[in-house]
Amino acid sequence: MSSQGGSTGPSHKAVELGVTLAIALFGIIVIFGSIKAGINWGAEGPRAGFFPFYVGLFIVASSAMNVRNTLRDNDGGVFAEWGQLRQVLSVVVPTAIYVGALPFTGLYLASMIFIGWFMRWLGKYRWLTVAAVAIGMPIITYLIFERWFMVPLPKGPVEEWLGL
């Protein structure tokens, strides 16, 4: 935690290191997965892990350079205040829950809850407006995509129960 002009929150350096280390971890996972798939040449040419292995090495090497540069940087400034981060998380967390719920609930039910939640919680709209939009948008989406364009969208148990 850093302090600059009375503002508190994570420092630029801490956030940059965190993101860089997360990307390095991704590169390490790519490398290990590539090794399992095979990184050498077979009779037909390069095996499945050949190219991803080198991409993973590039990601890890780039991350190492970013860690070095970040540690050399003397910027002690605040990345964002805690209140600002709470505002961002108030959107990111429900969105992540929405995306995680899609395979289990289907697009339409998850969208109704997601739209309704945001309209009421963040927008402070009246319940009648919330209900109209939260129910209306998935219905319009269904009519346009599934009926008009004939593009099937992910369905859950409610849509199967309704025979959609």
Side-chain angles (χ1 to χ4, degrees):
M1 209 156 64
S2 177
S3 181
Q4 179 178 344
S7 301
T8 61
S11 68
H12 278 279
K13 187 177 280 194
V15 172
E16 288 181 23
L17 279 174
V19 171
T20 299
L21 293 174
I23 292 170
L25 178 62
F26 172 73
I28 291 168
I29 291 169
V30 169
I31 290 170
F32 280 111
S34 299
I35 291 171
K36 279 183 159 183
I39 60 171
N40 56 352
W41 284 75
E44 66 284 342
R47 297 192 54 198
F50 182 80
F51 180 70
F53 175 77
Y54 290 102
V55 170
L57 283 179
F58 180 75
I59 291 170
V60 171
S62 299
S63 295
M65 291 182 348
N66 284 337
V67 166
R68 183 198 64 177
N69 291 339
T70 300
L71 291 175
R72 294 166 90 193
D73 189 15
N74 290 327
D75 179 21
V78 174
F79 173 73
E81 295 177 12
W82 292 114
Q84 294 168 325
L85 291 176
R86 269 190 294 282
Q87 287 179 326
V88 170
L89 289 176
S90 72
V91 173
V92 170
V93 170
T95 303
I97 293 169
Y98 168 72
V99 170
L102 280 173
F104 306 103
T105 64
L107 178 77
Y108 304 112
L109 178 62
S111 294
M112 282 183 197
I113 294 168
F114 184 69
I115 292 167
W117 171 263
F118 270 102
M119 286 186 69
R120 185 67 184 162
W121 183 51
L122 290 179
K124 310 282 190 247
Y125 287 94
R126 294 178 307 144
W127 280 109
L128 182 61
T129 306
V130 170
V133 175
I135 294 169
M137 279 308 299
I139 290 172
I140 290 169
T141 302
Y142 172 79
L143 293 173
I144 290 173
F145 285 97
E146 302 243 4
R147 292 293 181 208
W148 191 7
F149 291 132
M150 292 183 274
V151 175
L153 296 175
K155 294 181 185 57
V158 172
E159 292 90 356
E160 289 179 22
W161 178 71
L162 292 171
L164 299 177

